[in-house]
């Protein structure tokens, strides 16, 4: 696809670092300066971006994100929600946000257990409802429900491959449907082909 006279920006491997992503996109002039970079300022259950928040400031820029939004950091789900809202707002003013699949997205889509080594319990907790752990079980004591976040430092959380996160990315899951609708494997702009980690001949 030719983009004559339009600025094209690409960014790779954000890996759950919400604050880093926002500051980077602000520096590139793609996100408005008043958009909060602290993930704690966004709704936690369910993870959501406020409807009234104007994110995109890139005009007609084409922004290509090269995949691997998830794993290693704690805010993958929030980052997808943010990027999808950014995608919608850019389109409305003649800009474009192209979101590519990386190997970590493919791990989740295919149920590949390799991603369990780099997923954080905090990100798994983002998919759990209040009072649920990363496996989807109710967490409770005799007096009150506890937050999933209580278990962020416990290694057992990484060993639950069938909880709410994996259900969301699995067959029929809400995340899977959204990812398939919004993301792609490769994108061509003129003579340039954008893809995660390169092409194999």
């Amino acid at each position: 696809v030719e983009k004559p006279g339009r600025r094209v920006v690409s960014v790779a491997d954000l890996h759950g670092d919400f604050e880093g992503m926002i500051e980077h996109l602000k520096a590139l002039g793609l996100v408005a300066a008043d958009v909060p970079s602290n993930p704690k300022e966004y709704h936690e259950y369910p993870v959501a971006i406020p409807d009234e928040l104007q994110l995109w400031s890139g005009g007609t820029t084409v922004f290509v994100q090269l995949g691997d939004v998830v794993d290693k950091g704690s805010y993958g789900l929030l980052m997808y929600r943010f990027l999808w809202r950014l995608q919608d707002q850019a389109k409305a003013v003649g800009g474009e946000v192209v979101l590519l699949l990386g190997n970590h997205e493919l791990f989740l889509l295919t149920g590949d257990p390799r991603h369990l080594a780099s997923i954080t319990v905090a990100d798994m907790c983002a998919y759990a409802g209040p009072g649920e752990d990363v496996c989807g079980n109710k967490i409770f004591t005799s007096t009150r429900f506890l937050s999933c976040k209580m278990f962020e430092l416990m290694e057992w959380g990484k060993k639950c491959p069938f909880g709410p996160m994996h259900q969301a990315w699995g067959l029929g899951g809400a995340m899977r449907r959204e990812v398939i609708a919004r993301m792609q494997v490769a994108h061509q702009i003129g003579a340039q082909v954008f893809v995660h980690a390169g092409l194999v001949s």
Side-chain angles (χ1 to χ4, degrees):
V1 179
E2 295 287 348
K3 307 291 182 183
R6 292 176 67 182
R7 179 180 178 231
V8 177
V9 176
S10 65
V11 174
D13 296 55
L14 297 167
H15 279 305
D17 181 5
F18 183 82
E19 185 172 357
M21 177 185 75
I22 299 302
E23 294 305 319
H24 195 172
L25 296 183
K26 285 181 180 180
L28 291 169
L30 302 179
V31 165
D34 60 348
V35 171
S37 59
N38 182 353
K40 302 297 185 185
E41 295 188 44
Y42 296 84
H43 196 272
E44 188 173 18
Y45 289 116
V47 172
I49 306 297
D51 290 337
E52 67 277 7
L53 191 59
Q54 181 58 43
L55 309 178
W56 180 253
S57 64
T60 60
T61 298
V62 180
F63 166 45
V64 183
Q65 200 288 315
L66 297 170
D68 279 7
V69 173
V70 73
D71 289 347
K72 300 184 181 180
S74 298
Y75 297 101
L77 178 57
L78 178 61
M79 291 166 70
Y80 288 117
R81 298 272 188 246
F82 188 96
L83 289 168
W84 293 341
R85 180 66 58 82
L86 201 67
Q87 192 175 50
D88 293 340
Q89 291 185 0
K91 183 178 181 180
V93 296
E96 188 175 358
V97 174
V98 178
L99 303 174
L100 301 186
L101 294 167
N103 57 301
H104 285 261
E105 282 84 15
L106 291 175
F107 289 163
L108 280 164
L109 288 170
T110 60
D112 192 315
R114 283 179 288 179
H115 92 99
L116 291 172
S118 57
I119 194 78
T120 65
V121 177
D123 203 16
M124 294 176 78
C125 282
Y127 293 83
E132 287 184 342
D133 66 13
V134 294
C135 298
N137 302 314
K138 290 296 182 182
I139 311 169
F140 62 93
T141 66
S142 59
T143 56
R144 64 185 178 89
F145 281 88
L146 300 176
S147 169
C148 181
K149 296 296 179 100
M150 296 285 288
F151 295 87
E152 283 185 19
L153 300 179
M154 297 179 67
E155 284 296 314
W156 64 263
K158 296 183 180 181
K159 298 177 174 64
C160 186
F162 305 109
M165 179 180 189
H166 298 88
Q167 292 168 14
W169 283 82
L171 292 175
M175 281 295 292
R176 187 186 190 90
R177 291 195 300 271
E178 199 79 14
V179 164
I180 290 172
R182 290 181 176 271
M183 301 177 74
Q184 56 197 80
V185 173
H187 187 76
Q188 184 172 356
I189 300 176
Q192 302 296 317
V193 176
F194 296 84
V195 66
H196 183 79
L199 291 169
V200 177
S201 60

